[in-house]
Amino acid sequence: MIATKSVADELAAAAPIKGRSLWADARARFFRNKAAVAGLIALVCVMLFALIGPFISPWNNEDIDWNVLGNVAEAGRPSLETGHWFGTDALGRDLFARTVQGTQISLMVGIVGALISVIVGTLYGAVAGYFGGRIDAIMMRTVDVLMSIPYMFVLILLLVVFGRSMLMLFIGIGLVSWLDMARIARGQTLSLRSKEYVEAAIATGVRPFTIILRHIVPNLLGVVIVYATLLVPSMIIYESFISFLGLGVQEPLTSWGALINAGAAEMNKSTLWMLAWPLFFFVITLFGFFFVGDGLRDALDPKDR
């Protein structure tokens, strides 16, 4: 019995210790960050609200409650009896349904804008950083020239000249939002191109663009993910500001910026709920993305690992 126990102890001691991967370690660090987890929960709740809201709302976002018109301050208040859970807007439309639609559009603009920025900026910066020399100089001077143009001026000009539409909103946001990502990707690529696995790929005759896609871009994912989470709220703020000015989405569509603008115009009529609900979702979404971005930055930072 003693010999068997001794052999078992030796086998246990000789067994290799199972290590954790880089991403597993980052995941564990992220979930230890209480603010990041709280932000992630808030974002999940907002996204569920946007997905499930249309199916549980008693009213359509375009329906008008004629009993409310003329007395919105009293009849349009939030109520479970009338089915207006968030109240109504100045035109008698259900604010819950309008807030759901505004959440869908604002999140879509933020996520699509950030996706465009990440894809274009990462590829552009990786190409510039990998080739270096004159190609790098020309590409980055082009970025510097584009960054000198006021971003909001370009976006407003596009919407005024070509008309207000979701397509022009995406094009306007995507045109300039990738510039910062390109500079970040280029800086990281300059340090990656001298790594042993890149030099080995060059020595074996792998094509430059294949090296960029297979070896450079995957190693930029940590920085790209962190920047994307911080870029989404910026895109939402841009869209909300444009909609607040009346140049964003057109009726009957709406967004957080348009709802906040409409609520601010009715503040002096004892209808605070028109401003409070869209502003509430706007604020918690921004803070959620910021907390998640900070948590990912701390989890993926190699200096903290």
Side-chain angles (χ1 to χ4, degrees), residues 163-180:
R164 295 179 296 169
S165 66
M166 290 293 294
L167 178 61
M168 288 310 304
L169 200 59
F170 287 139
I171 292 174
I173 289 176
L175 277 178
V176 192
S177 61
W178 58 272
L179 299 175
D180 287 331

Side-chain angles (χ1 to χ4, degrees), residues 8-60:
D9 292 340
E10 291 179 0
L11 290 174
I17 299 174
K18 186 178 180 180
R20 292 192 302 181
S21 68
L22 187 68
W23 290 102
D25 183 58
R27 184 171 60 250
R29 290 168 60 85
F30 177 84
F31 283 105
R32 286 199 298 266
N33 189 326
K34 294 181 180 179
V37 173
L40 182 62
I41 293 173
L43 290 179
V44 170
C45 292
V46 171
M47 292 180 182
L48 288 176
F49 172 77
L51 292 173
I52 301 175
F55 301 102
I56 63 175
S57 176
W59 294 81
N60 187 274

